[in-house]
Amino acid sequence: MSISVLLTVPVLFLSAFARCDSQPNIVFIFADDYGWNDIGYHNPIFQTPNLNSLAADGIKLENYYVAPVCTPSRGQLLTGRYAMRYGLVHRNIRPAQRMCLPLDEVTLPEKMKQAGYATHMVGKWHQGFYTPACIPTQRGFDSFFGFYICTEDYFTHSASGGFDLKRGETDPLFLYLAYQSVHAKYASVPQQYSDLYNGIIEDERRRTLAGMVTCMDEGIGNITKTLKDSGIWDNTILIFSNDNGGLPAHGGNNWPLRVRESLYECCSG
Ligand SMILES: *[C@@H]1O[C@H](CO)[C@@H](O)[C@H](O)[C@H]1NC(C)=O
């Protein structure tokens, strides 16, 4: 069995798949500030062949709601609880803030471990790190490769080298791959990707963002291929979602849905 679920507006929790004889592997890919109108099957200008084909073979959830910024949105996914319940509904955690996902919250990876899963996280945490008890490996993940804050330079702190599906081979895998892409405060992408949109998208910010989208799509294509090559794809559920929609000031677009106000810009200040 292999099921892909593509969610282009974020999800609070997903428990769509019930019975399996063996426990399936679960790969949850989470994009950042990714607009409704910025994926190929909503807007054909965007070149996302891998996401399109995963969506075509899978199940699309086209209607659901999330928090407007990163910390509450990601925390809700990781706890299955509305952020107002644990006091983090308002804003993002800033790098210097003594604050994190409350330590008495039970996390999704903790529950996955109880169910026998090896739990790995790659990417963006953004649930606080002021004391060691707050970091991903103390909150249910067997391993973590990524960064703690909201956003950072894509090139000097790339997270792409740390992806290794061969670890924890004997357990079913729960991988939470939380991209910074396509967050565009530090918008940057190798030029060959943005060049694909020369003459198609005039606005430079949006052209860069489109290149970032296609680069992310290629990365997801590579991950899918690795899962297939290592023989575990047939027992894998892949979920793709994102934390909140596109930010027009950064080239994102949610048409025909409501504009995300820049008041809610993730990681400002
Ligand atoms: C995808 O894999 C190819 C082949 O290994 C590599 O050249 C390319 O950089 C990868 N793309 C991304 C976005 O990681």
Side-chain angles (χ1 to χ4, degrees), residues 193 215-216 218-219 222:
Y193 298 98
C215 184
M216 174 176 72
E218 185 184 296
N222 286 357

Side-chain angles (χ1 to χ4, degrees), residues 39-233:
I39 192 166
Y41 64 79
H42 285 159
N43 179 352
I45 283 181
F46 276 73
Q47 299 178 32
T48 56
N50 295 295
L51 290 169
N52 293 358
S53 94
L54 287 166
D57 291 345
I59 302 164
K60 291 181 210 165
L61 257 68
E62 298 279 62
N63 189 353
Y64 60 102
Y65 297 89
V66 292
V69 291
C70 306
T71 296
S73 185
R74 289 159 188 256
Q76 287 175 165
L77 170 69
L78 288 168
T79 59
R81 302 225 304 149
Y82 188 37
M84 188 170 280
R85 301 255 177 226
Y86 56 84
L88 277 179
V89 76
H90 299 294
R91 284 268 156 196
N92 285 311
I93 295 176
R94 310 282 182 221
Q97 246 173 329
R98 289 175 60 83
M99 192 182 266
C100 73
L101 186 69
L103 298 175
D104 55 356
E105 289 297 324
V106 177
T107 68
L108 173 60
E110 283 168 353
K111 293 304 252 185
M112 297 304 286
K113 274 169 84 81
Q114 279 172 15
Y117 279 78
T119 58
H120 299 285
M121 175 171 176
V122 176
K124 165 171 159 172
W125 176 238
H126 206 189
Q127 298 300 309
F129 61 98
Y130 76 96
T131 184
C134 296
I135 65 177
T137 43
Q138 300 294 321
R139 304 309 301 271
F141 287 106
D142 293 330
S143 77
F144 171 74
F145 182 80
F147 63 104
Y148 292 155
I149 59 173
C150 179
T151 183
E152 63 180 11
D153 187 288
Y154 281 88
F155 290 101
T156 54
H157 285 282
S158 163
S160 59
F163 182 67
D164 184 0
L165 282 172
K166 295 194 179 65
R167 267 179 297 186
E169 219 169 304
T170 53
D171 302 327
L173 167 74
F174 173 61
L175 172 67
Y176 174 43
L177 171 56
Y179 275 102
Q180 178 181 207
S181 291
V182 295
H183 195 293
K185 181 171 182 181
Y186 295 94
S188 50
V189 69
Q191 203 180 336
Q192 79 254 29
Y193 298 98
S194 43
D195 279 354
L196 293 169
Y197 296 93
N198 285 344
I200 300 171
I201 298 178
E202 218 172 290
D203 180 78
E204 196 188 327
R205 292 209 88 153
R206 187 146 176 78
R207 197 165 58 241
T208 303
L209 181 110
M212 292 168 77
V213 165
T214 294
C215 184
M216 174 176 72
D217 178 81
E218 185 184 296
I220 291 169
N222 286 357
I223 291 160
T224 308
K225 183 173 181 308
T226 303
L227 290 164
K228 287 178 177 164
D229 291 350
S230 47
I232 65 173
W233 177 250

